[in-house]
Amino acid sequence: VEMLKQFQADQVKLKLARALNTVVFIQDGKKRHGLKFPKQLKNNVLVVMEIGDGYIKEHNDKCEDESQKIRVYDRIVSVNGQVGMAATLKSRLERATGEFQLGIQRPCLEGASS
């Protein structure tokens, strides 16, 4: 109700917070990645919904730099520099082995928009 009143006013204040784009380097993709994605894949990103057992969790456990960890709600936008539709990215991720990179788009950090 309060939000509706705001939009009926002559002026509306809007805060825009851009996502952070980064690249994460994965060192050992020999096992399963352990990531879970939405059942219905859309657009050209893979949204990480859960991180289970697999090489991504192992990567996160070893990672000292917080910005290099894969997080829930991160969006995978490329695998080894290649972009594509979500189903294509998922397929590339499942076939990736050895050392490879993931392009990540991360929702804005809490408090960054204040």
Side-chain angles (χ1 to χ4, degrees), residues 8 14 33 37 39 54 57 60 78 88 104 107 109:
Q8 292 172 342
L14 175 69
H33 53 73
F37 307 109
K39 291 191 187 298
K57 184 176 185 312
N60 283 352
S78 67
T88 303
I104 301 292
L109 302 172

Side-chain angles (χ1 to χ4, degrees), residues 66-111:
E66 288 293 318
S67 71
Q68 288 294 302
K69 291 183 178 184
I70 305 291
R71 303 176 188 167
V72 172
Y73 302 123
D74 276 356
R75 295 168 182 89
I76 298 173
V77 297
S78 67
V79 178
N80 268 342
Q82 295 183 311
V83 297
M85 297 303 291
T88 303
L89 291 172
K90 185 178 179 191
S91 176
R92 287 182 181 143
L93 180 61
E94 288 170 351
R95 291 190 322 260
T97 59
E99 293 183 8
F100 62 95
Q101 67 182 22
L102 295 177
I104 301 292
Q105 189 178 73
R106 181 165 290 152
C108 187
L109 302 172
E110 287 183 37

Side-chain angles (χ1 to χ4, degrees), residues 2-109:
E2 183 64 32
M3 186 181 291
L4 185 58
K5 288 180 187 176
Q6 290 176 3
F7 283 105
Q8 292 172 342
D10 291 337
Q11 294 182 352
V12 176
K13 288 185 180 181
L14 175 69
K15 280 188 181 181
L16 177 67
R18 297 193 187 277
L20 170 71
N21 292 307
T22 190
V23 174
V24 175
F25 293 92
I26 304 296
Q27 299 262 332
D28 185 15
K30 294 177 186 171
K31 307 174 200 168
R32 294 176 43 86
H33 53 73
L35 300 177
K36 292 197 179 174
F37 307 109
K39 291 191 187 298
Q40 195 166 29
L41 299 176
K42 296 181 189 176
N43 302 322
N44 56 352
V45 298
L46 277 176
V47 179
V48 176
M49 301 307 292
E50 187 178 319
I51 302 170
D53 289 336
Y55 65 80
I56 298 294
K57 184 176 185 312
E58 290 174 8
H59 164 81
N60 283 352
D61 291 344
K62 293 187 291 189
C63 200
E64 294 178 15
D65 183 351
E66 288 293 318
S67 71
Q68 288 294 302
K69 291 183 178 184
I70 305 291
R71 303 176 188 167
V72 172
Y73 302 123
D74 276 356
R75 295 168 182 89
I76 298 173
V77 297
S78 67
V79 178
N80 268 342
Q82 295 183 311
V83 297
M85 297 303 291
T88 303
L89 291 172
K90 185 178 179 191
S91 176
R92 287 182 181 143
L93 180 61
E94 288 170 351
R95 291 190 322 260
T97 59
E99 293 183 8
F100 62 95
Q101 67 182 22
L102 295 177
I104 301 292
Q105 189 178 73
R106 181 165 290 152
C108 187
L109 302 172

